[in-house]
Amino acid sequence: MSGNDREAAVRRLLEQAPRPMPPEIHTEAVRRGGRMLRRRTLARRMMWLLLLAAAVAFTVWALTARPWVEPPSNTTPPLTGW
C-alpha cells in the first residue's frame, strides 16, 4: 500500500459519520479513571511515607553510630603524663 492509498483510506474513514457509542462506556471510563487516580494517589503517599521512614531511620542511625567521629586507635596507648 503506497502513501497515496493510505491517505485515501484515512480520508474515507474520517469522512464517515462517527459510530454511536454505547452510553455505558462513559460511566465505565469514569469509574476506571477514578480508580486509577486513587491508586496513583495511594502510591504517591506510600512513596513519601517510605522516604520519610528512610530519612528518620538514617537520622537515628547517624546519631547513634556517629560515623563522622574517628574511632579510637587500638594500636598505640594514649600519651598521658608528659
Side-chain angles (χ1 to χ4, degrees):
M1 184 178 261
S2 69
N4 290 337
D5 294 336
R6 281 190 220 148
E7 184 178 343
V10 169
R11 287 187 186 275
R12 278 193 307 270
L13 286 174
L14 291 175
E15 289 172 356
Q16 293 176 355
R19 295 183 180 148
M21 299 295 286
E24 60 270 358
I25 286 182
H26 173 64
T27 57
E28 181 71 16
V30 169
R31 186 180 65 80
R32 286 185 181 186
R35 184 172 48 190
M36 282 178 31
L37 285 176
R38 284 190 302 275
R39 284 183 180 173
R40 281 187 192 157
T41 303
L42 180 64
R44 190 177 306 120
R45 286 181 182 168
M46 291 301 290
M47 290 300 290
W48 278 111
L49 184 65
L50 181 66
L51 181 65
L52 178 66
V56 167
F58 176 77
T59 303
V60 168
W61 170 81
L63 289 174
T64 56
R66 296 174 39 176
W68 57 86
V69 175
E70 185 177 336
S73 177
N74 294 329
T75 57
T76 59
L79 296 176
T80 57
W82 279 82

